[in-house]
Amino acid sequence: MLKFYNTLSRQKEEFVPIGNKVTMYSCGPTVYNYAHIGNMRSYIFMDILRRTLLYNGYKLKGVMNITDVGHLLSDADEGEDKLEKAGREQNKSPFEIAEFYTNAFFADLKKLNIQKPELTPKATDHIQDMINYVLALQEKGYAYETDDGIYFDISKFPEYGKLSRLNLDDQIAGARVEVNSFKRHPADFALWKKAPKNHIMQWESPWGMGYPGWHIECSAMSKKYLGKVFDIHTGGVDHIPVHHENEIAQSESLEGCKTVNYWLHGEFMLVDGGKMSKSLGNTYTISQLEEMGYSAMDFRYFCLNAHYRKKLNFTFEGLKAAQTAYKRLLESLYEHKISPLDTPDTEIQEIKQKFLDAINDDLNLPLALGIVWTALKNPPSHSIYEMCLDFDKVIALSFDKAAPAEKNDVEIDEETRAIAERRFEARKNKDWKLSDELREELKQRGYAVEDRKDGYELKKI
Ligand code: AMP
Ligand code: ZN
């Protein structure tokens, strides 16, 4: 049984999709800068979820938006648009900024073996859908106009706060909701903002020139591509108290029903136990890790060792340990790959069941990786290698790149080599007794012999 922890109910629930194709929406990046490793942890979580659904035989329609307008410096309605600010600082248009960082983001997804969702719509391509959405909310009496924009009237949605379980006073006390004199209630939020003249990104609307609020893009695009009710919505935990509450308020008010069945959130990555922030200089990107000698796969391995609902503390010692473990894992896989032996199918099926139970228990990847390691401890067997390749459909750590351990350069003397050759002949002739005797002789000389499909390998003990 496939189970996910639903933030809305604070419980693990059996997953029952609406139709025969799972519909899933993931809040995508705001493309004003390179995504950092914390962001990428969130998308690795999205990827594991996608792959688990596919592994279970579901068909999938995933949407991840690209936020290229509307995300202000605060997550609420204050401050400059992040894209406009980056454009001003880098002497580029916000559209150039968006294109550059969107491409960089997709390149990172590829390096990390993160599947690109089926659809990755940009907010700026959906301005009309958002305007229509705001109009519909206004018609139903959920929105009001002020001098600087159109706001959602939170007093009309008594269930506000049901996802974060924060009451409004706590919300307002939180730093993320700032007081704006135009609003009727401090927690009301912008659906549309009227643009000052110097605002570069602005579009015509029934309320004059302006630009959309950040939250409306997700409600408008999820409805457009996934329908008014869909299965799964994902994002990082920081989205729970503002962005996703606001999405719920917009969507449920318009549709008059619950619009998302399962809300899944990925926990944060910390650096050296604290927050990742540019001012602290600890927001690494995947490219920076690569420059330091770590691969994107080392980082993916590092992330998979922690459950997505647990905070993960990033340290270079931790990454180094992940790199070493990942290398050992590939070496061990290689031993299985080249083995001429097989494991009985009943044993393979047993391990496969354990693996499935682990991933289906709310994406328990640390346990799933543990199952892989235990399986690899078996005597080398080609069927274990094949099984791991199957698991790699979910884990996606490029198991097909399994490589031999770096060769030990120990010279093997002629006499030892001759004994090994005689043993190889004996094996070919199925003279097991002689073969074992010669193995023992090699051992006395300090060598272990490992059989390969078409030969053998000698290693120093
Ligand atoms: P943004 O580009 O700021 O909209 O963020 C993109 C995604 O990264 C969102 O789903 C955030 O919740 C997530 N995110 C931001 N910081 C972190 C972090 N330190 N650890 C994990 N996820 C994060
Ligand atoms: Zn969103």
Side-chain angles (χ1 to χ4, degrees):
M1 194 203 324
L2 180 53
K3 278 190 186 169
F4 297 132
Y5 181 88
N6 191 344
T7 309
L8 197 59
S9 65
R10 302 286 195 275
Q11 270 171 5
K12 278 191 204 171
E13 293 176 10
E14 183 184 351
F15 177 65
V16 185
I18 301 162
N20 54 14
K21 201 176 231 186
V22 175
T23 41
M24 170 167 154
Y25 188 90
S26 304
C27 287
T30 308
V31 283
Y32 68 108
N33 205 335
Y34 291 108
H36 57 60
I37 53 176
N39 301 133
M40 295 328 284
R41 182 189 188 200
S42 277
Y43 297 110
I44 290 175
F45 147 62
M46 170 193 82
D47 185 58
I48 291 295
L49 172 56
R50 285 179 53 87
R51 288 174 179 275
T52 297
L53 289 163
L54 293 170
Y55 194 79
N56 276 275
Y58 289 113
K59 292 200 175 63
L60 186 54
K61 184 175 185 187
V63 176
M64 178 179 63
N65 62 304
I66 300 293
T67 300
D68 55 357
V69 68
H71 198 167
L72 306 187
L73 289 183
S74 84
D75 271 2
D77 306 317
E78 304 309 313
E80 197 175 356
D81 184 288
K82 290 187 179 188
L83 273 289
E84 292 234 347
K85 180 169 183 280
R88 192 167 42 72
E89 286 166 357
Q90 296 177 36
N91 219 0
K92 292 195 176 120
S93 82
F95 300 99
E96 285 169 323
I97 294 285
E99 193 185 354
F100 180 83
Y101 290 113
T102 303
N103 291 336
F105 176 71
F106 286 148
D108 276 353
L109 291 190
K110 202 157 176 227
K111 281 183 195 166
L112 287 163
N113 284 348
I114 297 174
Q115 291 179 345
K116 197 167 155 186
E118 285 66 25
L119 295 167
T120 51
K122 294 195 291 187
T124 51
D125 286 340
H126 295 78
I127 300 293
Q128 194 54 48
D129 298 295
M130 294 187 234
I131 291 175
N132 293 343
Y133 207 108
V134 179
L135 276 174
L137 281 173
Q138 220 179 359
E139 261 164 42
K140 285 195 151 191
Y142 287 101
Y144 61 90
E145 184 168 357
T146 69
D147 283 352
D148 80 333
I150 310 295
Y151 285 87
F152 186 90
D153 184 351
I154 218 164
S155 69
K156 301 274 167 58
F157 188 70
E159 285 182 278
Y160 194 85
K162 67 178 170 180
L163 187 68
S164 54
R165 302 194 176 178
L166 288 174
N167 64 37
L168 275 179
D169 294 338
D170 293 340
Q171 280 258 1
I172 295 157
R176 304 192 92 171
V177 178
E178 285 153 44
V179 181
N180 165 328
S181 56
F182 293 113
K183 298 180 190 179
R184 287 185 196 160
H185 187 286
D188 288 352
F189 56 91
L191 298 166
W192 184 265
K193 283 215 127 183
K194 295 178 183 173
K197 276 226 157 44
N198 62 353
H199 206 269
I200 300 167
M201 290 188 287
Q202 48 177 300
W203 291 264
E204 257 175 55
S205 80
W207 316 283
M209 297 302 285
Y211 59 97
W214 171 38
H215 320 292
I216 197 73
E217 67 173 280
C218 291
S219 288
M221 293 196 276
S222 61
K223 177 177 178 156
K224 175 164 182 164
Y225 293 110
L226 301 175
K228 73 177 191 182
V229 185
F230 57 96
D231 293 307
I232 303 175
H233 196 313
T234 73
V237 287
D238 58 327
H239 285 344
I240 299 172
V242 178
H243 183 51
H244 288 167
E245 289 293 5
N246 293 356
E247 270 192 53
I248 290 176
Q250 293 164 159
S251 304
E252 296 195 3
S253 300
L254 187 72
E255 311 300 354
C257 62
K258 185 165 132 182
T259 58
V260 174
N261 286 338
Y262 301 88
W263 283 94
L264 272 68
H265 290 97
E267 247 301 348
F268 256 38
M269 173 170 275
L270 309 174
V271 174
D272 295 326
K275 200 174 163 341
M276 225 183 269
S277 92
K278 281 217 204 74
S279 56
L280 293 172
N282 62 6
T283 54
Y284 304 103
T285 64
I286 295 298
S287 304
Q288 283 171 336
L289 295 188
E290 284 176 330
E291 280 160 22
M292 295 179 205
Y294 301 98
S295 71
M297 286 302 93
D298 297 336
F299 179 70
R300 186 172 172 110
Y301 185 94
F302 175 76
C303 288
L304 296 189
N305 265 300
H307 190 262
Y308 78 92
R309 283 196 290 117
K310 293 245 158 67
K311 287 192 176 62
L312 174 57
N313 188 25
F314 176 86
T315 59
F316 280 99
E317 295 84 81
L319 184 61
K320 180 88 208 153
Q323 182 178 52
T324 307
Y326 176 55
K327 186 163 168 283
R328 271 183 41 223
L329 188 115
L330 289 189
E331 288 169 2
S332 173
L333 266 171
Y334 182 77
E335 300 293 319
H336 289 271
K337 180 180 179 178
I338 57 179
S339 166
L341 306 174
D342 278 325
T343 305
D345 199 46
T346 46
E347 275 176 48
I348 294 287
Q349 290 315 324
E350 231 173 82
I351 305 172
K352 279 193 161 181
Q353 188 57 50
K354 280 190 190 154
F355 179 84
L356 187 67
D357 290 345
I359 59 170
N360 282 1
D361 181 16
D362 193 32
L363 313 175
N364 194 340
L365 265 291
L367 181 59
L369 271 185
I371 291 164
V372 170
W373 272 112
T374 307
L376 290 176
K377 292 212 175 91
N378 281 297
S381 132
H382 197 72
S383 42
I384 287 186
Y385 172 70
E386 294 288 343
M387 175 187 76
C388 289
L389 279 190
D390 180 59
F391 295 167
D392 203 42
K393 289 178 190 158
V394 178
I395 295 172
L397 278 171
S398 298
F399 283 175
D400 55 337
K401 304 246 164 61
E406 274 140 36
K407 284 241 174 305
N408 52 19
D409 297 330
V410 184
E411 289 273 307
I412 295 164
D413 64 274
E414 258 176 53
E415 228 170 292
T416 306
R417 176 66 68 192
I419 299 168
E421 283 296 315
R422 274 174 53 215
R423 183 178 169 279
F424 182 55
E425 283 304 308
R427 267 184 71 81
K428 274 207 276 193
N429 298 331
K430 298 193 168 29
D431 186 346
W432 309 121
K433 187 166 172 288
L434 179 60
S435 156
D436 281 350
E437 281 168 14
L438 293 170
R439 175 193 284 280
E440 193 48 41
E441 218 173 298
L442 287 167
K443 198 170 157 197
Q444 301 300 327
R445 287 173 163 266
Y447 292 91
V449 60
E450 286 178 10
D451 293 310
R452 303 285 182 244
K453 231 179 183 144
D454 307 305
Y456 62 90
E457 205 174 315
L458 280 178
K459 285 188 176 164
K460 260 272 188 234
I461 300 171

